């Protein structure tokens, strides 16, 4: 290792250093400068004349300033997670120190060497001096040709074309982005509207469901009461029909016994008692028959005095009216029934339950106008008809179609459903007929659901008297009125026709059974009343036949109406007429022949009258 020569500073360098030091002493620029002269210090302490300063005499103890070197702010890690973070932090600090120690730039090395030379210490070169680069002259570039105007214009034209194309692309992109933004805004608005409509729909259907539940509770309570009243009305009709039918049956038996003989008297029965335990006296058949004949003659005289059926043949009047006492009892029972019907809703105060137009009509019309697609797919109109059925049946409870000429279109439910089925109809324009709505004709649905089944029960329970021409005419008018809304091919309409057929069939069967018993007896006797009795019996059967033919003209050959007429003539009227052919039987059969269609004339009657 070669020894370094001692470098002795020159006089000029020493003088320069002294001047620098004097300058720093006067100006006090450097903090590292410590004056050797005794001067007054601003700092006060136990030794104010001392030039040395203790660490405690400085402003503050420098804990915050040098905290990162003295670990004054370090905290002892106690938790597992804290210790793990502290170890990680120390590793990062150590890595930073290692990196800082390895990075020694030329300025740092040169500064260290200058400090060593200033102190007069010899040092060794840590690294060998780099050899000075040999100067080499820069190469002279090749001469560049001066650009001409043509290529420059071509380049500018190409650049302009590129810029124009780029501008067009950017403009197109901006337009598409603007259009996309408009579409997004429109879509956002639509989504907000959809959300608002969905919320409105949800809230409306919640309220609608609550209202429907209240209606269901109302119907569960009131419907059984209505059904009881309907059954009570049917029982009244059945009781009245039984009374009339029994009296007519007794009249037929009395007339048949006059020209075919009296049936054997049934064996004596046990004594019957009333509610108080008293024995009810029994009347002999002969005495009872005489009493009935006298009562019948009294009723006939009373009707003729009033001008009722005064021109009709004796026996043609079926005498279907009740006695005054029974008629008064029947009217009183009907009046009580109507009072009970009013009591069903007497405790109801809500108007929308008293009048379905304010409740059912309002809610379902609101549903149809706001959410028509859901209303149509859910068959909302039929649902409303099902709920409206209670009010319809309550309104027609007092209506007996065979006793009154009131038509269906006079009822409130008919007009309400008719107007509801035509939502485009204006109140001012009542004459024009508006088009049907999506529900179709709800009047037809109500008639087939509630009205026709009710009429069928009334007919089967005695509401229709097969011997009454007035009832048959009213039945035909009613069916024609129903046919406007419900076609004849409809299943419910066929049930109505069947109920009417059952009523006529029951009457014919009853007559056939009664005549058969007397024909098997066939013990004629001389009685001046035999000829009028036969005429009366045949006149009643003639009226029954005439009513069946009149009904057949409307209903057609439904359920065998023609065969029913043939059975009535061949098995009931003809045998009775043959028992007194010369004394009125032949005339009655020729009268029958005049009104019957040729295809319904029995073979036996043709042979008896010598008709081919």
């Amino acid at each position: 290792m070669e020894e370094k020569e001692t470098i002795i500073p020159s006089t000029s360098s020493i003088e320069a250093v002294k001047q620098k030091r004097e300058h720093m002493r006067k100006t006090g620029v450097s903090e590292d400068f410590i004056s050797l002269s005794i001067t007054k210090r601003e700092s006060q302490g136990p030794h104010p004349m001392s030039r040395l300063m203790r660490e405690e005499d400085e402003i503050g103890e420098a804990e915050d300033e040098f905290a990162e070197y003295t670990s004054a702010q370090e905290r002892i890690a106690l938790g597992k997670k804290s210790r793990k973070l502290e170890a990680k932090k120390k590793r990062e600090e150590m890595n930073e120190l290692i990196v800082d120690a390895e990075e020694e730039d030329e300025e740092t090395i040169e500064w260290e060497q200058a400090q060593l030379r200033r102190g007069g210490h010899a040092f060794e070169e840590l690294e060998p001096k780099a050899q000075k680069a040999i100067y080499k002259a820069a190469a002279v570039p090749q001469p560049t040709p001066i650009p001409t105007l043509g290529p420059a214009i071509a380049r500018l034209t190409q650049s302009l074309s590129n810029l124009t194309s780029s501008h067009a692309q950017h403009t197109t992109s901006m337009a598409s982005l603007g259009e996309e933004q408009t579409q997004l805004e429109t879509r956002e608005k639509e989504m907000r509207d959809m959300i608002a409509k969905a919320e409105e729909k949800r809230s409306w259907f919640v309220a609608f469901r609550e209202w429907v539940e209240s209606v269901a509770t109302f119907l569960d309570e009131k419907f059984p009461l209505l059904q009881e009243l309907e059954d009570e009305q049917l029982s009244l009709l059945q009781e009245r029909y039984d009374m009339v039918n029994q009296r007519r049956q007794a009249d037929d038996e009395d007339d048949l016994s006059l020209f075919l003989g009296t049936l054997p008297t049934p064996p004596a029965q046990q004594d019957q008692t009333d509610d108080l335990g008293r024995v009810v006296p029994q009347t002999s058949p002969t005495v009872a028959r005489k009493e009935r004949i006298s009562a019948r003659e009294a009723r006939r005289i009373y009707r003729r005095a009033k001008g009722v059926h005064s021109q009709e043949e004796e026996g043609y009047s079926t005498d279907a009216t009740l006695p005054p006492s029974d008629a008064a009892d029947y009217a009183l029972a009907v009046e009580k029934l109507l009072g009970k019907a009013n009591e069903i809703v007497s405790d109801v105060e809500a108007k929308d339950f008293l009048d379905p137009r304010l409740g059912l009509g309002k809610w379902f019309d609101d549903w149809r106008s706001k959410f028509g697609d859901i209303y149509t797919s859910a068959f909302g109109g039929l649902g409303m008809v099902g709920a409206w059925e209670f009010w319809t049946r309550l309104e027609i409870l007092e209506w007996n179609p065979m006793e009154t000429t009131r038509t269906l279109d006079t009822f409130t439910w008919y007009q309400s459903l008719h107007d509801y089925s035509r939502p485009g109809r204006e109140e001012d324009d009542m004459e024009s007929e508006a088009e049907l709505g999506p529900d179709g004709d709800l009047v037809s649905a109500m008639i087939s659901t509630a009205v026709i089944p009710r009429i069928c029960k009334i007919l089967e329970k005695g509401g229709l008297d097969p011997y009454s021409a007035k009832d048959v005419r009213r039945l035909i008018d009613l069916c024609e009125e129903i046919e406007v809304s419900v076609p004849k091919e409809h299943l419910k309409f066929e049930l109505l026709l069947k109920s009417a057929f059952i009523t006529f069939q029951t009457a014919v069967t009853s007559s056939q059974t009664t005549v058969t018993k007397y024909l098997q007896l066939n013990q004629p006797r001389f009685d001046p009343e035999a000829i009028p009795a036969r005429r009366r019996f045949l006149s009643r059967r003639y009226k029954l036949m005439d009513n069946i033919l009149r009904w057949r003209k409307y209903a057609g050959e439904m359920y065998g109406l023609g065969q029913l007429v043939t059975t009535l003539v061949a098995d009931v009227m003809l045998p009775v007429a043959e028992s007194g052919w010369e004394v009125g039987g032949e005339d009655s059969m020729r009268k029958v022949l005049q009104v019957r269609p040729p295809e319904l004339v029995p073979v036996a009657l043709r042979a008896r009258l010598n008709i081919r």
Side-chain angles (χ1 to χ4, degrees), residues 382-403:
L382 296 180
M384 188 189 69
V385 169
W388 206 308
E389 181 181 351
F390 169 79
W391 287 273
T392 300
R393 291 169 61 176
L394 182 62
E395 188 177 0
I396 66 175
L397 180 63
E398 59 177 341
W399 178 61
N400 186 350
M402 300 296 105
E403 295 179 356

Side-chain angles (χ1 to χ4, degrees), residues 55-56 58-66:
E55 187 176 0
E56 294 80 357
E58 296 181 359
I59 300 174
E61 298 181 356
E63 293 183 357
D64 296 334
E65 183 179 358
F66 302 101

Side-chain angles (χ1 to χ4, degrees), residues 587-612:
D587 295 338
S588 298
M589 288 297 98
R590 290 190 180 278
K591 184 179 178 181
V592 169
L593 189 64
Q594 293 176 359
V595 298
R596 285 175 59 92
E599 66 273 10
L600 298 182
V601 178
V603 178
L605 180 59
R606 290 178 180 271
R608 192 73 175 84
L609 297 175
N610 297 323
I611 299 175
R612 296 182 179 180

Side-chain angles (χ1 to χ4, degrees), residues 134-141:
I134 301 173
Y135 171 78
K136 292 183 179 180
V140 178

